[in-house]
Amino acid sequence: MMKQLFKALLFVAAFGLTAWAVLEGTRTCSETTAEHTHLPVQPTEARGSVEGGPTNGLSLAYIRSEEVARDFRWMALQKDALKARLQKAEKEWEGEASRFQKDLQDFQRKAAGMGESQRQMTEQSLARREQNLVQMREAMVAELAKAEEALATRLRSLMDGEFKAFAQKEGLDYLWAQQPGSGLLYGDSARDRTRSFVEFLNERHPR
């Protein structure tokens, strides 16, 4: 029992890094957007083909995903709200962990002068509190995953519709994303619709 309690100090310190990693490791909305920007659509009215190169009469354009994720205000608000929620939970956990650490250190100083019964009761109480901290951490991580999944689903549904609506408005057959790993190695700046798409999104989703 005593060895487990002594290890709790390391546990408290280690979770500080764990919580930070969880927050930093959250998949960003820009990554979620990136997964769904390669969306072929069939516009009601197509413009001419892209100049230079065989396109079989198709009209193509691209957007820069990272810039869209950064400047789409609704997306930024959702990310900020999720981050604030996680930071609040982390602060509550850190408060509990700090009190536990203080009480554990106090017990270590006084244990030698305690009677056997009092020492055992204190050890059991500290062990329960340590377990509660573990459960609180697990609940925090589970809540993070659930909230992230819900936001990703909502964003995916919204963006699928917005890609199609924008492509139809612009008369595009295909709307591509320029981002690491997308396969789009180069795009003529004349075919860059990033700013137009950001403005389109912000007009349709002001808040």
Side-chain angles (χ1 to χ4, degrees), residues 53-107:
T55 60
N56 296 322
L58 297 176
S59 180
L60 313 176
Y62 69 92
I63 57 174
R64 297 187 301 278
S65 296
E66 292 181 358
E67 190 171 330
V68 172
R70 183 192 69 203
D71 295 342
F72 180 17
R73 289 192 293 269
W74 180 89
M75 184 185 297
L77 289 172
Q78 302 306 311
K79 290 169 62 179
D80 289 344
L82 179 58
K83 183 177 180 180
R85 181 177 172 184
L86 296 174
Q87 288 176 335
K88 179 181 178 182
E90 182 185 15
K91 185 176 180 180
E92 291 175 355
W93 189 94
E94 288 177 344
E96 292 294 331
S98 178
R99 286 186 288 274
F100 170 76
Q101 184 176 17
K102 180 178 180 297
D103 291 345
L104 177 58
Q105 292 172 337
D106 186 59
F107 169 70

Side-chain angles (χ1 to χ4, degrees), residues 120-189:
Q120 288 182 357
M121 289 179 60
T122 304
E123 287 177 349
Q124 292 171 1
S125 175
L126 288 170
R128 286 193 297 269
R129 288 174 62 186
E130 181 186 9
Q131 182 61 34
N132 289 340
L133 281 171
V134 172
Q135 293 174 350
M136 186 176 180
R137 179 193 64 177
E138 291 173 348
M140 175 182 167
V141 173
E143 181 181 7
L144 163 63
K146 185 177 180 180
E148 180 190 3
E149 181 180 358
L151 178 57
T153 298
R154 184 181 179 191
L155 179 61
R156 180 163 51 247
S157 176
L158 182 147
M159 295 304 289
D160 282 350
E162 295 305 320
F163 292 141
K164 183 173 182 177
F166 178 75
Q168 290 179 336
K169 175 178 177 292
E170 295 290 309
L172 302 171
D173 295 285
Y174 288 88
L175 180 61
W176 294 89
Q178 187 178 58
Q179 63 203 21
S182 70
L184 182 61
L185 303 179
Y186 168 78
D188 187 334
S189 60

